[in-house]
Amino acid sequence: MKFTMALCQIKGSFDKEICKERAEAAVKEAAAKAQVVSLPEIWNCPYVSKYFREYSEPEGGETFQFLSRLAKENDILLIGGSIPEIDDGKVYNTAYVFDRKGNLIGKHRKAHLFDVDIKGGIRFMESETFSPGDKATVVDTEFGKMGVAICFDVRFPDLFRTMTDMGAKFVVLPAAFSKKTGEDHWDFALRGRALDNQIYLAAASPARDPEGPYVCYGYSRIVDPWGRVLATAETDETIVYGEIDLDYVEDVRNQLPILKNRRPELYR
């Protein structure tokens, strides 16, 4: 099975309505070429811990309904990037997934929170506001089993192996790596997870805004099961497209039988 994947690299804003306008324009453009579209991590509010609760919404809220409408009107499978979700007083970094009819078919709450203090770089503590999710997420779609993870989750190989073991052949990763960590680790992390698990990995970043409260890396990209970069952005607002060929996943796994030759009894 083949399909076209699109990643919408857009800028954020303090104004949620402006964020939605940018998202709608990008998704509509992407849907003219792609069957599966993703927005980036935390696209509807500033990526700053102190704002997450203020901008948070419950499942079924305003932004949820907006994303559902986008999926239905554009006849696409939509990974709604991620937004702050509030549930029973707790705030989560949550990615919703909608089918072509606008139905919610899955969601992922970021499992590994971005708590870092990098010398000469940034200090950022998501756990000051967010609570962590508690599961690996694989969604049954018309294109097969799709894994969903968010940003810092990519640094944890066990999570990606779990999604692979659950049947995922492609994983979508809304992410907002910082400029510093992106320059040093983005390419290695994406290609490593794709190569280790022989999957497609599509990572959607916000566009870089040097004047914004958080300067992200950008460089949304799609990596294939051989670890090759199929398509990439740079730092500006743009849309990245790539063809996902799930038969190629099996071809790679047969040529280079990493998964089949695993010896889990040794990995204690």
Side-chain angles (χ1 to χ4, degrees):
M1 174 181 285
K2 296 181 182 180
F3 60 90
T4 299
M5 177 88 215
L7 308 176
C8 298
Q9 184 166 292
I10 58 175
K11 282 185 179 180
S13 170
F14 283 89
D15 187 327
K16 194 177 286 188
E17 291 305 311
I18 291 175
C19 293
K20 287 163 65 178
E21 288 173 6
R22 290 173 178 167
E24 182 157 15
V27 168
K28 184 176 181 179
E29 180 180 343
K33 298 180 182 178
Q35 296 79 53
V36 182
V37 178
S38 181
L39 289 164
E41 182 183 21
I42 304 294
W43 60 268
N44 75 333
C45 84
Y47 189 52
V48 180
S49 289
K50 67 180 181 180
Y51 294 113
F52 294 151
R53 182 171 291 275
E54 175 186 344
Y55 281 77
S56 65
E57 303 175 17
E59 181 176 320
E62 171 191 341
T63 302
F64 179 100
Q65 295 297 333
F66 167 77
L67 293 168
S68 172
R69 176 178 64 79
L70 285 188
K72 183 176 181 179
E73 289 182 356
N74 292 284
D75 190 31
I76 53 170
L77 176 69
L78 178 64
I79 300 90
S82 76
I83 66 172
E85 175 205 11
I86 191 162
D87 182 17
D88 196 26
K90 293 182 179 180
V91 182
Y92 299 92
N93 187 341
T94 300
Y96 297 112
V97 182
F98 299 90
D99 67 14
R100 293 176 185 266
K101 295 182 179 179
N103 298 314
L104 180 69
I105 57 172
K107 77 176 186 180
H108 176 70
R109 288 172 169 170
K110 189 174 187 176
H112 303 92
L113 299 182
F114 184 52
D115 282 1
V116 299
D117 192 352
I118 297 171
K119 195 172 184 178
I122 66 165
R123 181 184 185 278
F124 199 102
M125 297 290 162
E126 275 193 326
S127 66
E128 291 175 350
T129 307
F130 283 138
S131 295
D134 60 2
K135 67 175 183 177
T137 302
V138 173
V139 182
D140 286 314
T141 79
E142 64 181 282
F143 304 101
K145 292 183 180 294
M146 177 186 70
V148 182
I150 299 173
C151 201
F152 201 54
D153 284 338
V154 78
R155 293 186 179 273
F156 297 86
D158 293 340
L159 179 69
F160 277 70
R161 180 50 51 85
T162 297
M163 290 188 287
T164 301
D165 288 345
M166 293 168 68
K169 294 183 179 179
F170 69 107
V171 174
V172 180
L173 181 85
F177 263 47
S178 72
K179 182 176 181 292
K180 170 61 176 172
T181 58
E183 288 171 347
D184 291 343
H185 300 153
W186 179 248
D187 186 61
F188 295 114
L190 298 184
R191 295 178 71 183
R193 297 296 82 75
L195 182 61
D196 288 348
N197 297 288
Q198 301 177 303
I199 56 172
Y200 284 93
L201 178 51
S205 170
R208 188 182 301 178
D209 182 359
E211 305 304 318
Y214 174 85
V215 181
C216 69
Y217 182 56
Y219 288 90
S220 299
R221 63 182 41 163
I222 300 172
V223 182
D224 79 5
W226 197 260
R228 294 173 295 203
V229 176
L230 292 184
T232 187
E234 293 189 359
T235 62
D236 294 335
E237 289 190 297
T238 189
I239 300 172
V240 175
Y241 299 93
E243 183 180 77
I244 309 298
D245 181 355
L246 298 183
D247 292 333
Y248 181 61
V249 174
E250 290 306 314
D251 187 30
V252 168
R253 291 178 179 181
N254 288 329
Q255 291 181 65
L256 190 63
I258 294 172
L259 299 177
K260 186 168 69 175
N261 288 335
R262 289 178 66 233
R263 297 185 62 193
E265 72 275 11
L266 303 181
Y267 311 148
R268 298 288 183 182

